[in-house]
Structure formats: structure tokens, C-alpha cells
Amino acid sequence: TQNAYFEVTPRGGLVDLLNMTSTLEEVLIHALAPNLDYLPAGFCQENPTEYISSEKFRALIAHLRPQYDYIVIDTPPV
């Protein structure tokens, strides 16, 4: 629903990034609002819980942490 809210059609997202089929620069959407970047979920055919509990996801958050004041992760209840 975030894609509709931001009125964007993503070219990929978090899943593609973690699967190493896209780079962060390819999937990160800039300038939706002042000081706001958006990383769509991407297209997940598998269990999404596996992605957010993976070591790759932890590494991504560690990489992004110095670049952002806040990182909001919108997920369904697990």
C-alpha cells in the first residue's frame, strides 16, 4: 500500500536487493518528500519473514544506519 500512497511504481525493492539482483541505487526512491527516501518491498514469492530475519538484512540496516536519522520498517505482524 505504500507504493500507492507515495504514487510510485517501483523497479524492484528490498527482496531484489537481498537476493543481489539489484543494487541499492537501483531500488531506492529519493525525493518523495524533503529528507525522505523509500525502499519498496519488491516482489516476494517466498516467506517474507526469512528476508527480514536474515544476516543480509542486518548488514543492510547496519550499512544504512549512518546515512539516516530514522529507519522505519513497515511490516505485517509476524
Side-chain angles (χ1 to χ4, degrees):
T1 60
Q2 298 300 324
N3 294 338
Y5 178 79
F6 289 122
E7 299 178 350
V8 297
T9 303
R11 301 176 302 272
L14 177 64
V15 172
D16 306 287
L17 186 59
L18 297 178
N19 284 334
M20 302 172 107
T21 57
S22 295
T23 66
L24 183 60
E25 293 76 25
E26 292 171 331
V27 296
L28 190 64
I29 299 172
H30 300 283
L32 294 173
N35 299 313
L36 176 67
D37 291 340
Y38 170 60
L39 178 59
F43 306 102
C44 181
Q45 300 294 327
E46 301 156 19
N47 184 353
T49 306
E50 291 179 16
Y51 286 102
I52 61 172
S53 63
S54 72
E55 186 58 39
K56 288 181 184 178
F57 183 74
R58 287 184 197 95
L60 174 63
I61 296 300
H63 172 75
L64 294 175
R65 190 171 282 140
Q67 300 173 44
Y68 293 95
D69 293 327
Y70 299 97
I71 298 174
V72 177
I73 302 169
D74 181 20
T75 64
V78 180

